[in-house]
Amino acid sequence: MSEPRYGIWAPVGGNFGPLNSPDEPINASYDRTRSLVLEAERLGFATTLVAQHIANPRSLDLDQLETWTAAAALADATDKIEIIAAIKPLLFHPAVLAKMALGIDAISHGRFAINLVSAWYRPEMERTNIPFPPHDERYRYSTEWLRVVKLLWSGERVNFQGEYFKIQDLSLRPAPIAKPHPRVYLGGASDAAQILAAQEADTYFINGQPIEDVRKFIKGVLRRSRNLPKPLRFGLSGFVIARPTEEEAKAEFDRLMALQKQEEHYRLNLTKGIDPEAVMFQIFAKNPAVGGNGGTAAGLVGSYDTVAERISAFVEIGIETFMLQFHPFSREMNRFAEEIMPRVKHLQLVA
């Protein structure tokens, strides 16, 4: 059984779980993200994900860190950790994005990747008058968009005529350091997302949910046709609450849920902007949780031994990368590195 990769969600929208609490005030600054990512790198985390929104979906009054400028700066500030920048294809022409990605690939010496998400938050598109096609059409657009990006990453001269894009006699240099090109992660829970992930992604991100549901997702995606020679890998989002005892972990879960409930107006505001066809939010509604993207629904709540065992169980069914959230971030990330990582490693050795 292979040892998992651990990553952190960069706090681009402030915090995970309760936005504002006695433990951790809201802070979506680059300085905070840089500090946490450098700390994660020192602790042995392998990757970080920088999500993308034009404006904070919970409130226009809240700060939101811009993804691609932050990713470029993080690439220069770090030495080992992978930097994943989320991208909504509706926001960038593929030729422009491909060139930007090659720039960050060079800055990072090959440690850069993208996470393709086909958008679910309507207001940021409507308020900027950016077209927001129906759900399945967004995935047709994303499929062609990604095809163009990969062609341009090849370093070859590209001529392309599709439904949405036309490229004439264009090549981008220098070619990528990452071979054959920056890694492509993909998120989304719909059939359209699963089809695109199976065909073109290197790693498919699954939002936090119970292990049996994750197992079904993995089996379903693996049954779909694939265009790439390498097998599809899987990642999982999760919010971790680990304590010496089950009782302490449950008490902390209850405390964070109560704090999160006090900020219900943020959740309701976000809900108003969700595309009703976005399947992942239908899944979230079934599994109330602390944190974003499924959060504690992944079950990484409990004693140190329990959390380690659950991570090992996810690895056994095919999860390779764990993209994690914490609150308060630095303290709990350090606790995870000190208490959970060694336990998982031991379980892997004796398995």
Side-chain angles (χ1 to χ4, degrees), residues 89-121:
L90 295 172
L91 298 181
F92 288 92
H93 188 282
V96 175
L97 188 283
K99 186 62 177 176
M100 290 168 61
L102 289 175
I104 305 177
D105 170 74
I107 293 168
S108 69
H109 302 287
R111 292 180 291 115
F112 183 64
I114 68 168
N115 179 40
L116 192 150
V117 288
S118 292
W120 53 264
Y121 186 58

mmCIF file of all heavy atoms in Angstrom, residues 89-121:
data_model
loop_
_atom_site.group_PDB
_atom_site.id
_atom_site.type_symbol
_atom_site.label_atom_id
_atom_site.label_comp_id
_atom_site.label_asym_id
_atom_site.label_seq_id
_atom_site.Cartn_x
_atom_site.Cartn_y
_atom_site.Cartn_z
ATOM 1 N N PRO A 89 -12.388 27.722 -16.782
ATOM 2 C CA PRO A 89 -12.100 28.037 -18.181
ATOM 3 C C PRO A 89 -12.875 29.239 -18.734
ATOM 4 O O PRO A 89 -12.396 29.894 -19.667
ATOM 5 C CB PRO A 89 -12.498 26.748 -18.910
ATOM 6 C CG PRO A 89 -12.224 25.681 -17.914
ATOM 7 C CD PRO A 89 -12.652 26.280 -16.600
ATOM 8 N N LEU A 90 -14.048 29.536 -18.169
ATOM 9 C CA LEU A 90 -14.825 30.678 -18.652
ATOM 10 C C LEU A 90 -14.090 31.999 -18.440
ATOM 11 O O LEU A 90 -14.413 32.995 -19.088
ATOM 12 C CB LEU A 90 -16.180 30.733 -17.942
ATOM 13 C CG LEU A 90 -17.138 29.571 -18.213
ATOM 14 C CD1 LEU A 90 -18.347 29.662 -17.291
ATOM 15 C CD2 LEU A 90 -17.587 29.547 -19.669
ATOM 16 N N LEU A 91 -13.124 32.032 -17.531
ATOM 17 C CA LEU A 91 -12.468 33.288 -17.177
ATOM 18 C C LEU A 91 -11.237 33.601 -18.018
ATOM 19 O O LEU A 91 -10.796 34.748 -18.057
ATOM 20 C CB LEU A 91 -12.059 33.268 -15.699
ATOM 21 C CG LEU A 91 -13.187 33.132 -14.678
ATOM 22 C CD1 LEU A 91 -12.617 33.142 -13.263
ATOM 23 C CD2 LEU A 91 -14.209 34.239 -14.842
ATOM 24 N N PHE A 92 -10.629 32.594 -18.657
ATOM 25 C CA PHE A 92 -9.383 32.802 -19.392
ATOM 26 C C PHE A 92 -9.412 32.076 -20.728
ATOM 27 O O PHE A 92 -9.752 30.890 -20.789
ATOM 28 C CB PHE A 92 -8.182 32.265 -18.605
ATOM 29 C CG PHE A 92 -7.790 33.078 -17.403
ATOM 30 C CD1 PHE A 92 -8.303 32.777 -16.160
ATOM 31 C CD2 PHE A 92 -6.913 34.139 -17.526
ATOM 32 C CE1 PHE A 92 -7.942 33.507 -15.045
ATOM 33 C CE2 PHE A 92 -6.539 34.884 -16.412
ATOM 34 C CZ PHE A 92 -7.058 34.567 -15.165
ATOM 35 N N HIS A 93 -9.009 32.767 -21.784
ATOM 36 C CA HIS A 93 -8.794 32.094 -23.068
ATOM 37 C C HIS A 93 -7.707 31.037 -22.867
ATOM 38 O O HIS A 93 -6.727 31.265 -22.154
ATOM 39 C CB HIS A 93 -8.361 33.110 -24.121
ATOM 40 C CG HIS A 93 -8.307 32.559 -25.509
ATOM 41 N ND1 HIS A 93 -7.258 31.772 -25.958
ATOM 42 C CD2 HIS A 93 -9.176 32.662 -26.550
ATOM 43 C CE1 HIS A 93 -7.479 31.428 -27.215
ATOM 44 N NE2 HIS A 93 -8.633 31.949 -27.600
ATOM 45 N N PRO A 94 -7.836 29.867 -23.480
ATOM 46 C CA PRO A 94 -6.863 28.792 -23.235
ATOM 47 C C PRO A 94 -5.432 29.152 -23.612
ATOM 48 O O PRO A 94 -4.484 28.690 -22.955
ATOM 49 C CB PRO A 94 -7.390 27.620 -24.072
ATOM 50 C CG PRO A 94 -8.338 28.232 -25.059
ATOM 51 C CD PRO A 94 -8.922 29.421 -24.380
ATOM 52 N N ALA A 95 -5.234 29.964 -24.645
ATOM 53 C CA ALA A 95 -3.872 30.339 -25.019
ATOM 54 C C ALA A 95 -3.243 31.232 -23.954
ATOM 55 O O ALA A 95 -2.062 31.092 -23.622
ATOM 56 C CB ALA A 95 -3.861 31.039 -26.370
ATOM 57 N N VAL A 96 -4.035 32.149 -23.407
ATOM 58 C CA VAL A 96 -3.536 33.038 -22.351
ATOM 59 C C VAL A 96 -3.210 32.222 -21.101
ATOM 60 O O VAL A 96 -2.145 32.381 -20.490
ATOM 61 C CB VAL A 96 -4.578 34.136 -22.029
ATOM 62 C CG1 VAL A 96 -4.113 34.986 -20.848
ATOM 63 C CG2 VAL A 96 -4.836 35.004 -23.251
ATOM 64 N N LEU A 97 -4.122 31.325 -20.727
ATOM 65 C CA LEU A 97 -3.915 30.525 -19.519
ATOM 66 C C LEU A 97 -2.734 29.572 -19.700
ATOM 67 O O LEU A 97 -1.931 29.386 -18.776
ATOM 68 C CB LEU A 97 -5.189 29.754 -19.186
ATOM 69 C CG LEU A 97 -5.247 29.000 -17.859
ATOM 70 C CD1 LEU A 97 -4.484 27.711 -17.852
ATOM 71 C CD2 LEU A 97 -4.834 29.882 -16.708
ATOM 72 N N ALA A 98 -2.628 28.967 -20.868
ATOM 73 C CA ALA A 98 -1.512 28.045 -21.109
ATOM 74 C C ALA A 98 -0.176 28.753 -20.931
ATOM 75 O O ALA A 98 0.765 28.210 -20.342
ATOM 76 C CB ALA A 98 -1.618 27.453 -22.514
ATOM 77 N N LYS A 99 -0.082 29.975 -21.417
ATOM 78 C CA LYS A 99 1.158 30.741 -21.288
ATOM 79 C C LYS A 99 1.416 31.113 -19.835
ATOM 80 O O LYS A 99 2.562 31.027 -19.346
ATOM 81 C CB LYS A 99 1.095 31.999 -22.156
ATOM 82 C CG LYS A 99 2.393 32.792 -22.190
ATOM 83 C CD LYS A 99 3.544 31.994 -22.786
ATOM 84 C CE LYS A 99 4.809 32.843 -22.874
ATOM 85 N NZ LYS A 99 5.968 32.052 -23.367
ATOM 86 N N MET A 100 0.385 31.530 -19.106
ATOM 87 C CA MET A 100 0.535 31.850 -17.684
ATOM 88 C C MET A 100 1.015 30.625 -16.900
ATOM 89 O O MET A 100 1.908 30.722 -16.049
ATOM 90 C CB MET A 100 -0.797 32.346 -17.118
ATOM 91 C CG MET A 100 -1.200 33.711 -17.626
ATOM 92 S SD MET A 100 -2.918 34.125 -17.217
ATOM 93 C CE MET A 100 -2.887 34.087 -15.430
ATOM 94 N N ALA A 101 0.410 29.482 -17.198
ATOM 95 C CA ALA A 101 0.791 28.251 -16.503
ATOM 96 C C ALA A 101 2.243 27.884 -16.785
ATOM 97 O O ALA A 101 2.970 27.442 -15.881
ATOM 98 C CB ALA A 101 -0.133 27.111 -16.917
ATOM 99 N N LEU A 102 2.689 28.070 -18.024
ATOM 100 C CA LEU A 102 4.086 27.778 -18.344
ATOM 101 C C LEU A 102 5.027 28.705 -17.583
ATOM 102 O O LEU A 102 6.125 28.305 -17.178
ATOM 103 C CB LEU A 102 4.319 27.914 -19.845
ATOM 104 C CG LEU A 102 3.690 26.821 -20.718
ATOM 105 C CD1 LEU A 102 3.878 27.141 -22.199
ATOM 106 C CD2 LEU A 102 4.289 25.460 -20.394
ATOM 107 N N GLY A 103 4.591 29.947 -17.376
ATOM 108 C CA GLY A 103 5.405 30.872 -16.604
ATOM 109 C C GLY A 103 5.577 30.410 -15.165
ATOM 110 O O GLY A 103 6.681 30.440 -14.609
ATOM 111 N N ILE A 104 4.476 29.961 -14.535
ATOM 112 C CA ILE A 104 4.565 29.505 -13.141
ATOM 113 C C ILE A 104 5.282 28.163 -13.066
ATOM 114 O O ILE A 104 5.993 27.882 -12.103
ATOM 115 C CB ILE A 104 3.167 29.436 -12.500
ATOM 116 C CG1 ILE A 104 2.453 30.790 -12.626
ATOM 117 C CG2 ILE A 104 3.279 29.059 -11.027
ATOM 118 C CD1 ILE A 104 1.039 30.804 -12.080
ATOM 119 N N ASP A 105 5.120 27.333 -14.081
ATOM 120 C CA ASP A 105 5.892 26.082 -14.160
ATOM 121 C C ASP A 105 7.387 26.383 -14.136
ATOM 122 O O ASP A 105 8.158 25.714 -13.434
ATOM 123 C CB ASP A 105 5.508 25.345 -15.450
ATOM 124 C CG ASP A 105 6.408 24.160 -15.755
ATOM 125 O OD1 ASP A 105 6.269 23.130 -15.071
ATOM 126 O OD2 ASP A 105 7.233 24.275 -16.678
ATOM 127 N N ALA A 106 7.807 27.414 -14.857
ATOM 128 C CA ALA A 106 9.223 27.789 -14.879
ATOM 129 C C ALA A 106 9.662 28.358 -13.534
ATOM 130 O O ALA A 106 10.742 28.008 -13.021
ATOM 131 C CB ALA A 106 9.479 28.797 -15.996
ATOM 132 N N ILE A 107 8.849 29.213 -12.942
ATOM 133 C CA ILE A 107 9.187 29.805 -11.640
ATOM 134 C C ILE A 107 9.357 28.706 -10.587
ATOM 135 O O ILE A 107 10.250 28.762 -9.742
ATOM 136 C CB ILE A 107 8.092 30.798 -11.205
ATOM 137 C CG1 ILE A 107 8.058 32.016 -12.135
ATOM 138 C CG2 ILE A 107 8.311 31.250 -9.756
ATOM 139 C CD1 ILE A 107 6.837 32.892 -11.954
ATOM 140 N N SER A 108 8.481 27.707 -10.648
ATOM 141 C CA SER A 108 8.481 26.640 -9.637
ATOM 142 C C SER A 108 9.435 25.501 -9.960
ATOM 143 O O SER A 108 9.544 24.553 -9.176
ATOM 144 C CB SER A 108 7.063 26.065 -9.495
ATOM 145 O OG SER A 108 6.701 25.347 -10.663
ATOM 146 N N HIS A 109 10.073 25.556 -11.120
ATOM 147 C CA HIS A 109 10.955 24.472 -11.583
ATOM 148 C C HIS A 109 10.185 23.144 -11.688
ATOM 149 O O HIS A 109 10.659 22.087 -11.267
ATOM 150 C CB HIS A 109 12.170 24.317 -10.670
ATOM 151 C CG HIS A 109 12.982 25.577 -10.551
ATOM 152 N ND1 HIS A 109 13.783 26.042 -11.573
ATOM 153 C CD2 HIS A 109 13.084 26.483 -9.546
ATOM 154 C CE1 HIS A 109 14.358 27.176 -11.206
ATOM 155 N NE2 HIS A 109 13.958 27.463 -9.987
ATOM 156 N N GLY A 110 8.973 23.239 -12.242
ATOM 157 C CA GLY A 110 8.200 22.033 -12.531
ATOM 158 C C GLY A 110 7.273 21.579 -11.427
ATOM 159 O O GLY A 110 6.760 20.458 -11.486
ATOM 160 N N ARG A 111 6.996 22.434 -10.428
ATOM 161 C CA ARG A 111 6.135 22.043 -9.295
ATOM 162 C C ARG A 111 4.716 22.591 -9.421
ATOM 163 O O ARG A 111 3.984 22.652 -8.444
ATOM 164 C CB ARG A 111 6.728 22.545 -7.972
ATOM 165 C CG ARG A 111 8.016 21.877 -7.555
ATOM 166 C CD ARG A 111 8.527 22.444 -6.225
ATOM 167 N NE ARG A 111 8.989 23.804 -6.354
ATOM 168 C CZ ARG A 111 8.440 24.855 -5.770
ATOM 169 N NH1 ARG A 111 7.367 24.717 -5.008
ATOM 170 N NH2 ARG A 111 8.938 26.066 -5.932
ATOM 171 N N PHE A 112 4.309 22.978 -10.610
ATOM 172 C CA PHE A 112 3.015 23.639 -10.783
ATOM 173 C C PHE A 112 1.999 22.717 -11.443
ATOM 174 O O PHE A 112 2.344 21.886 -12.284
ATOM 175 C CB PHE A 112 3.186 24.898 -11.632
ATOM 176 C CG PHE A 112 1.919 25.687 -11.792
ATOM 177 C CD1 PHE A 112 1.304 26.277 -10.698
ATOM 178 C CD2 PHE A 112 1.332 25.820 -13.038
ATOM 179 C CE1 PHE A 112 0.124 26.985 -10.849
ATOM 180 C CE2 PHE A 112 0.163 26.538 -13.199
ATOM 181 C CZ PHE A 112 -0.445 27.122 -12.095
ATOM 182 N N ALA A 113 0.728 22.869 -11.042
ATOM 183 C CA ALA A 113 -0.368 22.085 -11.617
ATOM 184 C C ALA A 113 -1.612 22.954 -11.667
ATOM 185 O O ALA A 113 -1.686 24.007 -11.011
ATOM 186 C CB ALA A 113 -0.636 20.832 -10.774
ATOM 187 N N ILE A 114 -2.602 22.519 -12.439
ATOM 188 C CA ILE A 114 -3.880 23.229 -12.475
ATOM 189 C C ILE A 114 -4.983 22.303 -11.975
ATOM 190 O O ILE A 114 -4.887 21.082 -12.084
ATOM 191 C CB ILE A 114 -4.231 23.754 -13.884
ATOM 192 C CG1 ILE A 114 -4.520 22.611 -14.869
ATOM 193 C CG2 ILE A 114 -3.126 24.671 -14.407
ATOM 194 C CD1 ILE A 114 -5.137 23.069 -16.186
ATOM 195 N N ASN A 115 -6.015 22.919 -11.411
ATOM 196 C CA ASN A 115 -7.228 22.199 -11.017
ATOM 197 C C ASN A 115 -8.385 22.793 -11.799
ATOM 198 O O ASN A 115 -8.808 23.928 -11.533
ATOM 199 C CB ASN A 115 -7.476 22.332 -9.510
ATOM 200 C CG ASN A 115 -8.738 21.622 -9.066
ATOM 201 O OD1 ASN A 115 -9.033 20.521 -9.534
ATOM 202 N ND2 ASN A 115 -9.499 22.245 -8.184
ATOM 203 N N LEU A 116 -8.865 22.052 -12.773
ATOM 204 C CA LEU A 116 -9.915 22.558 -13.653
ATOM 205 C C LEU A 116 -11.286 22.374 -13.002
ATOM 206 O O LEU A 116 -11.665 21.260 -12.643
ATOM 207 C CB LEU A 116 -9.861 21.843 -15.006
ATOM 208 C CG LEU A 116 -10.710 22.453 -16.119
ATOM 209 C CD1 LEU A 116 -10.061 22.188 -17.467
ATOM 210 C CD2 LEU A 116 -12.126 21.894 -16.137
ATOM 211 N N VAL A 117 -12.008 23.481 -12.841
ATOM 212 C CA VAL A 117 -13.378 23.453 -12.311
ATOM 213 C C VAL A 117 -14.259 24.253 -13.269
ATOM 214 O O VAL A 117 -13.892 25.344 -13.684
ATOM 215 C CB VAL A 117 -13.453 24.028 -10.885
ATOM 216 C CG1 VAL A 117 -12.822 23.083 -9.881
ATOM 217 C CG2 VAL A 117 -12.795 25.398 -10.783
ATOM 218 N N SER A 118 -15.385 23.701 -13.604
ATOM 219 C CA SER A 118 -16.186 24.306 -14.676
ATOM 220 C C SER A 118 -17.209 25.322 -14.184
ATOM 221 O O SER A 118 -18.108 25.700 -14.918
ATOM 222 C CB SER A 118 -16.870 23.209 -15.498
ATOM 223 O OG SER A 118 -15.904 22.483 -16.224
ATOM 224 N N ALA A 119 -17.067 25.765 -12.919
ATOM 225 C CA ALA A 119 -17.829 26.887 -12.351
ATOM 226 C C ALA A 119 -19.217 26.463 -11.871
ATOM 227 O O ALA A 119 -19.890 25.663 -12.512
ATOM 228 C CB ALA A 119 -17.952 28.042 -13.332
ATOM 229 N N TRP A 120 -19.605 27.008 -10.717
ATOM 230 C CA TRP A 120 -20.919 26.738 -10.150
ATOM 231 C C TRP A 120 -21.541 27.997 -9.539
ATOM 232 O O TRP A 120 -22.732 28.035 -9.273
ATOM 233 C CB TRP A 120 -20.820 25.661 -9.062
ATOM 234 C CG TRP A 120 -19.790 25.968 -7.999
ATOM 235 C CD1 TRP A 120 -18.502 25.510 -7.973
ATOM 236 C CD2 TRP A 120 -19.938 26.811 -6.854
ATOM 237 N NE1 TRP A 120 -17.843 26.025 -6.874
ATOM 238 C CE2 TRP A 120 -18.693 26.819 -6.159
ATOM 239 C CE3 TRP A 120 -21.001 27.551 -6.327
ATOM 240 C CZ2 TRP A 120 -18.481 27.551 -4.995
ATOM 241 C CZ3 TRP A 120 -20.790 28.277 -5.152
ATOM 242 C CH2 TRP A 120 -19.552 28.274 -4.496
ATOM 243 N N TYR A 121 -20.729 29.056 -9.334
ATOM 244 C CA TYR A 121 -21.209 30.253 -8.654
ATOM 245 C C TYR A 121 -21.634 31.289 -9.690
ATOM 246 O O TYR A 121 -20.805 31.936 -10.322
ATOM 247 C CB TYR A 121 -20.116 30.804 -7.745
ATOM 248 C CG TYR A 121 -20.570 31.963 -6.883
ATOM 249 C CD1 TYR A 121 -21.640 31.827 -6.000
ATOM 250 C CD2 TYR A 121 -19.920 33.194 -6.945
ATOM 251 C CE1 TYR A 121 -22.050 32.888 -5.208
ATOM 252 C CE2 TYR A 121 -20.317 34.252 -6.151
ATOM 253 C CZ TYR A 121 -21.389 34.091 -5.283
ATOM 254 O OH TYR A 121 -21.803 35.155 -4.502
#
